[in-house]
RNA sequence: GCCGUCUUAGCUCAGUUGGUGGAGCUCUCGGCUGUUAACCGAGUGGUCGCCGGUUCGAGUCCGGCAGACGGCGCCA
């Protein structure tokens, strides 16, 4: 006996299986019955397809099973593919064999949904077309990042998730018991990456990052995935260009692989295509302030960080992501060096996404001045002795180097055009939620 | 840390001046041979977030607590 060949729904919708008999397996997406005919819209990972189950075309017991199986029941169907204008997608399956693998209980997620309820039912809501489309795009983004860096000679380099030091500020650390000691979940790969470049020169990494920020916004997660790069011999200008190339590369991969998903999410393909072919502007913080004050009628004092409102105004002013460099050095982390040409500012940059999706990349050249870093760590109240190994990197063949981190979820949210970052990750962790 | 909104059926919500808790959807049963989150008829389903107070009487008024959601700050 030959093994059953299972067909995926996308093959049928492409027209390849017209008038052929196929075997399908998946889940009931919608079902309607009308006397002696039952319409089962079935889904698998690749799409949805209408199946017509008519009494007489299959054994009566199977017809009755089809009639009573509820949404999300898992099923196997056999039948002939017919072109039919009345069916969504233009093709339907005329069922001759129906096997219910599992009769689902009444599915809790129905037409009316609140965000809170959907988060409680996250494990079930993952099956929705919306979430499935976003997760497919996320998968492309993650794959694109690996390809982008590997194609350019970067090695993947892993840092510990349990780290003794802070990197981005002590108040945002998740503390973890470590035998009789304590440690913290990684806030950044960066400090370890700075050790790695002396071995591999160009490295990247993508992994979970934990920040206990008390942020309740549509742009923040307590656990998110950051894609970071670090490279010896590169300066600020070099990494800004790498960042722009990376964004464009990700977009091109999405446009190539996820046209269907963008359609389901009602995202504008042309708009993304245009951005993927654009040059992104680089401006300094000072220029950004001037644009905001002169062109947007705002009144921002030099020296304050750009807030959400200002970033959004700036994003509106350009239609592409924009790189902002040279923020005031006082508001920056200790590892960001002063710009010798403009000592009030740091050799750092943020990439701001269009349409209010905020900072998608943050990076800098790295500080080589140990005394300066010690001074700034002390000012923050950080124990300098914890950074002894890090300062060693400046003692044994120190070189100019730079790196940045890209927020995977923010990029996915921007590409998908969705209003909350929570939907870009299967099980979001936020200030107030860590279940399911 | 600051500010705001919400909490009534499995889901989404309405509930008038304080007077025996409702609708739609889901689900169950019946009908229907082309439906598009179908339609028609019937039915099941309630600790009105919790605690206390006022009152003859509280979903409704008052006080407290809890939870959820969102905005700002901070960040990717």
């Amino acid at each position: 006996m030959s093994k059953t060949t299972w067909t995926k729904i996308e093959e049928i919708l492409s027209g390849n299986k017209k008038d052929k008999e196929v075997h399908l397996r998946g889940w009931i997406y919608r079902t309607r019955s009308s006397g002696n005919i039952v319409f089962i819209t079935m889904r698998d990972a690749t799409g949805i397809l209408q199946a017509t189950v008519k009494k007489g075309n299959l054994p009566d017991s199977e017809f009755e099973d089809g009639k009573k199986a509820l949404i999300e029941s898992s099923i196997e169907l056999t039948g002939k593919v017919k072109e039919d204008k009345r069916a969504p997608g233009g093709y339907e399956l005329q069922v001759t064999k129906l096997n219910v693998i599992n009769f689902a209980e009444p599915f809790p997620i129905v037409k009316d949904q609140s965000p809170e309820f959907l988060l409680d039912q996250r494990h079930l809501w993952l099956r929705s077309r919306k979430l499935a489309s976003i997760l497919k795009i996320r998968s492309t983004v993650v794959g694109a990042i690996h390809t982008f860096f590997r194609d350019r000679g970067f090695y993947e380099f892993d840092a510990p998730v349990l780290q003794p030091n802070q990197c981005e500020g002590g108040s945002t650390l998740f503390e973890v018991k470590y035998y009789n000691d304590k440690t913290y979940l990684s806030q950044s790969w960066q400090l370890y990456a700075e050790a790695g470049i002396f071995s591999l020169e160009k490295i990247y990494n993508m992994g979970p990052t934990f920040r206990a920020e008390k942020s309740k916004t549509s742009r923040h997660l307590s656990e998110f995935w950051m894609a970071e790069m670090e490279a010896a011999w590169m300066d600020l200008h070099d990494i800004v260009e790498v960042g722009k190339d990376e964004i464009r590369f990700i977009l091109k991969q999405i446009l190539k692989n996820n046209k269907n998903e963008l359609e389901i999410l009602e995202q504008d393909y042309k708009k993304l295509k245009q951005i993927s072919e654009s040059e992104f502007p680089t401006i300094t913080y000072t220029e950004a302030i001037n644009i905001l004050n002169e062109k947007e009628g705002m009144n921002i004092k030099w020296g304050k960080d750009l807030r959400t409102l200002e970033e959004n105004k700036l994003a509106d002013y350009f239609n592409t992501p924009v790189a902002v460099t040279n923020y005031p050095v006082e508001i920056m982390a200790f590892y960001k060096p002063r710009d010798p040409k403009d000592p009030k500012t740091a050799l750092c940059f943020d990439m701001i996404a269009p349409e209010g999706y905020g900072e998608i990349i943050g990076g800098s050249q790295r500080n080589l001045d140990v005394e300066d870093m010690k001074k700034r760590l002390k000012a923050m109240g950080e124990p300098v002795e914890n950074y002894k190994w890090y300062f060693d990197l400046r003692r044994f063949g120190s070189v100019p180097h730079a790196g940045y981190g890209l927020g995977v979820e923010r990029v996915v949210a921007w590409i998908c055009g969705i209003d909350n970052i929570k939907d870009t990750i299967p099980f979001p962790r936020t200030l107030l939620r860590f279940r399911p």
Side-chain angles (χ1 to χ4, degrees):
Chain A
M1 218 167 77
S2 65
K3 199 162 176 279
T4 306
T5 304
W6 300 98
T7 301
K8 300 314 286 185
I9 286 173
E10 67 182 354
E11 292 177 62
I12 292 169
L13 295 176
S14 74
N16 288 344
K17 296 285 177 183
K18 193 179 158 186
D19 298 322
K20 300 236 170 68
E21 179 174 87
V22 296
H23 306 281
L24 291 174
R25 50 187 178 185
W27 294 264
I28 296 180
Y29 179 69
R30 301 276 181 263
T31 175
R32 300 172 282 282
S33 107
S34 177
N36 289 330
I37 180 166
V38 181
F39 297 95
I40 293 177
T41 307
M42 178 187 180
R43 66 169 183 84
D44 67 12
T46 69
I48 62 171
L49 178 76
Q50 174 167 293
T52 54
V53 184
K54 288 185 186 177
K55 197 165 188 175
N57 286 357
L58 71 171
D60 280 359
S61 65
E62 294 182 16
F63 176 80
E64 291 304 322
D65 282 352
K67 208 167 170 177
K68 73 172 197 238
L70 301 181
I71 284 175
E72 290 304 322
S73 295
S74 44
I75 52 171
E76 292 174 349
L77 297 178
T78 299
K80 198 171 260 186
V81 176
K82 287 286 175 191
E83 199 166 7
D84 196 314
K85 285 198 294 286
R86 293 169 296 186
Y91 292 91
E92 69 174 26
L93 185 76
Q94 298 188 339
V95 176
T96 53
K97 191 171 182 336
L98 180 150
N99 180 24
V100 178
I101 306 295
N102 172 257
F103 283 97
E105 293 176 28
F107 201 60
I109 302 173
V110 289
K111 189 169 67 179
D112 298 308
Q113 311 155 342
S114 64
E116 178 190 344
F117 178 70
L118 291 175
L119 283 166
D120 286 337
Q121 304 293 332
R122 190 68 172 198
H123 52 298
L124 301 177
W125 195 40
L126 291 175
R127 309 170 181 203
S128 71
R129 294 199 91 195
K130 180 183 171 184
L131 238 49
S133 299
I134 295 167
L135 293 176
K136 285 179 191 173
I137 286 175
R138 181 189 170 99
S139 174
T140 303
V141 169
V142 169
I145 290 168
H146 282 290
T147 304
F148 175 83
F149 284 113
R150 285 166 183 254
D151 284 356
R152 282 160 186 73
F154 284 73
Y155 296 97
E156 188 168 355
F157 175 85
D158 299 316
V161 170
L162 296 172
Q163 300 184 0
N165 314 66
Q166 64 164 283
C167 179
E168 297 289 329
S171 63
T172 67
L173 290 162
F174 281 106
E175 196 176 305
V176 177
K177 203 173 152 226
Y178 194 78
Y179 305 106
N180 294 323
D181 214 332
K182 69 180 177 188
T183 180
Y184 307 97
L185 293 178
S186 171
Q187 280 179 318
S188 173
W189 161 90
Q190 180 198 322
L191 298 187
Y192 294 92
E194 287 189 60
I197 55 150
F198 291 92
S199 170
L200 304 175
E201 298 198 22
K202 287 159 66 177
I203 56 177
Y204 81 100
N205 175 268
M206 190 163 14
T209 301
F210 306 89
R211 295 198 184 166
E213 289 164 0
K214 300 217 161 129
S215 301
K216 282 177 282 184
T217 81
S218 56
R219 296 180 313 281
H220 285 86
L221 293 165
S222 302
E223 176 181 329
F224 66 97
W225 283 61
M226 190 143 72
E228 297 177 84
M229 61 78 71
E230 193 77 29
W233 315 110
M234 283 195 184
D235 65 12
L236 177 63
H237 170 79
D238 296 328
I239 61 163
V240 168
E241 293 310 310
V242 173
K244 291 176 183 177
D245 286 342
E246 183 182 358
I247 300 283
R248 283 187 290 252
F249 183 79
I250 291 169
L251 281 176
K252 282 179 181 147
Q253 294 297 104
I254 294 293
L255 293 166
K256 195 167 104 188
N257 297 304
N258 299 96
K259 200 170 178 181
N260 198 17
E261 284 72 38
L262 292 174
E263 220 164 86
I264 290 167
L265 296 167
E266 297 175 344
Q267 252 304 51
D268 189 343
Y269 186 91
K270 275 193 202 136
K271 181 185 74 189
L272 292 177
K273 186 165 193 292
Q274 204 182 343
I275 293 172
S276 76
E277 291 161 355
S278 300
E279 284 299 318
F280 304 163
T282 301
I283 59 174
T284 64
Y285 165 86
T286 306
E287 286 165 345
I289 298 282
N290 289 341
I291 289 171
L292 291 168
N293 286 346
E294 285 164 25
K295 304 271 171 68
E296 299 287 334
M298 303 181 88
N299 182 22
I300 303 151
K301 285 203 189 105
W302 198 97
K304 302 201 86 176
D305 205 352
L306 294 181
R307 296 175 305 158
T308 309
L309 178 68
E310 283 103 57
E311 285 179 355
N312 292 351
K313 282 273 183 195
L314 205 57
D316 289 346
Y317 186 76
F318 301 97
N319 289 318
T320 64
V322 51
V324 181
T325 68
N326 290 85
Y327 284 79
V329 74
E330 277 75 22
I331 57 177
M332 291 290 128
F334 74 97
Y335 54 77
K336 298 184 183 175
R338 287 175 196 278
D339 186 344
K341 289 187 208 136
D342 183 6
K344 294 200 307 294
T345 68
L347 287 169
C348 65
F349 84 107
D350 279 348
M351 186 89 74
I352 298 169
E355 296 170 61
Y357 286 94
E359 295 162 26
I360 48 175
I361 291 180
S364 75
Q365 211 166 301
R366 306 311 186 193
N367 203 343
L368 304 181
D369 182 341
V370 173
E371 289 315 308
D372 179 60
M373 288 193 281
K374 282 184 178 168
K375 213 166 73 191
R376 286 162 71 177
L377 280 169
K378 272 183 202 153
M380 288 161 57
E382 256 302 275
V384 171
E385 54 277 14
N386 285 0
Y387 295 82
K388 190 172 174 299
W389 69 268
Y390 181 73
F391 298 143
D392 272 357
L393 304 174
R394 308 296 188 257
R395 297 170 60 210
F396 301 101
S398 181
V399 292
H401 62 286
Y404 65 76
L406 172 147
V408 172
E409 286 77 14
R410 287 194 184 170
V411 169
V412 173
W414 165 52
I415 290 172
C416 293
I418 54 176
D419 52 18
N420 199 311
I421 198 166
K422 287 181 194 143
D423 292 342
T424 63
I425 188 165
F427 293 97
R429 298 289 176 254
T430 65
L431 177 59
L432 297 165
R433 178 182 285 276
F434 58 97
R435 300 188 174 90

